[in-house]
Amino acid sequence: MRIVALAGGIGGARFLRGLRHTAPEADITVIGNTGDDISLFGLRICPDLDTVMYTLGGGINEEQGWGRADETFTLREELAAYEVGPAWFTLGDRDFATHIVRTQMLDAGYPLSAVTEALCDRWRPGVRLLPMTDDRVETHVVIEDDGGKRAVHFQEWWVRLHAGTPARSIAAVGADDAKPAPGVLEAIEAADLVVLPPSNPVVSIGTILAVPGIRAAVAAKTVVGVSPIIGGAPVRGMADACLTAIGVETSARAVAAHYGPDLLDGWLVDTADDGTAGDLDGIAVRARPLLMTDLEATADIARAALDLAEELRA
Ligand code: GDP
Ligand code: CA
């Protein structure tokens, strides 16, 4: 079975661990969000690709959900001593090594897809991890505060401001002119099904779908998604702030309607949302527990997504 998954960071990575567990024979290609990427300290940082790589490769900080396990912060302290910021973006020493390798390869002319493949040679995530594009796409957020109306990088809004300043709008800068990375469209076309893990519908999945060609290729497949919204709230993070910015209500049902029946064939919601979630027009909705509390629970969610896809394909 050939499966393609679109993934952001933590929600996507955890789901993928369950998917790999429940479908060990499957050929899984992950198309990762690169809209969160940022250049800091002269280094190119790809938070979502790294979260997937570290999580599936056994190097993740489990409690935090991002960054490396057994981390130290000497480099960060030294940079702070030079008053070189930003101080709001935490990078550990081990993590820094990844960004150094990546930046070196990018500077030598390798595309991000080749760099990601090289990094995965070490981490062996058990899936094929592709960036959505090799072109530069960066999510920017228009905010309005005492400093007036201005656009900030997604990371500044998310990490420094904790999405506390309302977003007037969110844009994937560069997406319109971006091309899917080599292998992305081919993997989707060859897939038996496409899964949308419980990743942020706006700045993770939405950004991937904004790369021209990806949405249409995915829509042609059997697509099953897992709601990141449980009981009308994100499980963790501030996805509600992103949904509000694009005028979508924070509910499992509204997220499915936002993806739309042209894209989505099946949608898993949590049992907490069962009462409000009958089948949507053209989207089969099933309710089951969706908290990824441990590997077993997560594998069961992934299995339910595969079963629903199987049912819809029949
Ligand atoms: P990020 O890039 O690290 O923000 O991660 P993603 O975009 O992959 O995923 C973030 C989303 O995962 C958030 O909207 C959370 O609500 C969702 N999420 C996190 N843990 C769980 C869980 O246990 N179950 C479900 N259904 N969603 C979750
Ligand atoms: Ca992210």
Side-chain angles (χ1 to χ4, degrees):
M1 187 170 33
R2 280 181 289 223
I3 305 172
V4 163
L6 313 188
I10 301 177
R14 291 202 171 147
F15 175 84
L16 289 166
R17 197 153 55 176
L19 179 64
R20 200 184 50 180
H21 190 74
T22 197
E25 306 305 325
D27 173 341
I28 303 172
T29 298
V30 177
I31 299 170
N33 171 43
T34 59
D36 294 9
D37 295 6
I38 188 166
S39 292
L40 296 172
F41 313 110
L43 301 173
R44 192 70 182 157
I45 299 160
C46 302
D48 284 357
L49 292 178
D50 287 351
T51 295
V52 170
M53 186 174 77
Y54 293 156
T55 301
L56 296 180
I60 198 79
N61 178 324
E62 290 288 345
E63 296 73 47
Q64 203 168 248
W66 53 271
R68 293 286 310 280
D70 302 318
E71 210 25 306
T72 54
F73 297 91
T74 306
L75 211 39
R76 178 188 160 86
E77 286 158 24
E78 290 296 313
L79 288 163
Y82 284 112
E83 294 180 27
V84 169
W88 50 264
F89 203 86
T90 305
L91 292 172
D93 299 329
R94 293 181 191 279
D95 202 15
F96 259 114
T98 303
H99 312 314
I100 291 171
V101 174
R102 173 183 295 121
T103 305
Q104 252 182 355
M105 286 190 71
L106 289 171
D107 287 351
Y110 290 95
L112 182 62
S113 49
V115 175
T116 305
E117 192 180 342
L119 294 170
C120 285
D121 276 346
R122 171 181 176 194
W123 290 102
R124 311 215 161 263
V127 300
R128 183 162 173 238
L129 177 60
L130 301 175
M132 63 190 199
T133 180
D134 280 333
D135 300 322
R136 192 170 281 216
V137 175
E138 273 183 11
T139 303
H140 286 239
V141 179
V142 176
I143 58 169
E144 200 168 354
D145 58 13
D146 300 341
K149 197 171 171 185
R150 63 205 159 98
V152 297
H153 190 287
F154 170 74
Q155 296 295 355
E156 183 170 355
W157 181 63
W158 193 255
V159 179
R160 186 171 80 82
L161 302 171
H162 302 289
T165 309
R168 296 271 179 265
S169 60
I170 300 178
V173 179
D176 289 352
D177 302 316
K179 289 180 298 300
V184 165
L185 294 180
E186 292 81 352
I188 298 168
E189 273 152 25
D192 297 304
L193 63 122
V194 176
V195 285
L196 308 185
S199 282
N200 189 309
V202 184
V203 295
S204 294
I205 308 260
T207 307
I208 300 169
L209 293 172
V211 176
I214 295 187
R215 187 182 172 106
V218 170
K221 294 287 160 173
T222 300
V223 183
V224 170
V226 180
S227 177
I229 304 299
I230 296 185
V235 179
R236 58 183 286 170
M238 294 119 356
D240 47 337
C242 301
L243 288 165
T244 302
I246 62 161
V248 174
E249 179 192 280
T250 302
S251 73
R253 195 182 175 81
V255 171
H258 167 66
Y259 284 136
D262 63 309
L263 183 81
L264 211 54
D265 300 296
W267 185 239
L268 297 181
V269 301
D270 191 84
T271 37
D273 300 297
D274 198 10
T276 58
D279 274 7
L280 279 150
D281 199 15
I283 303 172
V285 179
R286 301 283 183 277
R288 61 155 354 272
L290 289 186
L291 272 182
M292 300 187 285
T293 42
D294 57 26
L295 182 58
E296 292 305 320
T298 308
D300 287 350
I301 296 169
R303 175 50 52 193
L306 297 184
D307 287 349
L308 180 52
E310 197 58 40
E311 180 192 324
L312 295 171
R313 257 149 42 89

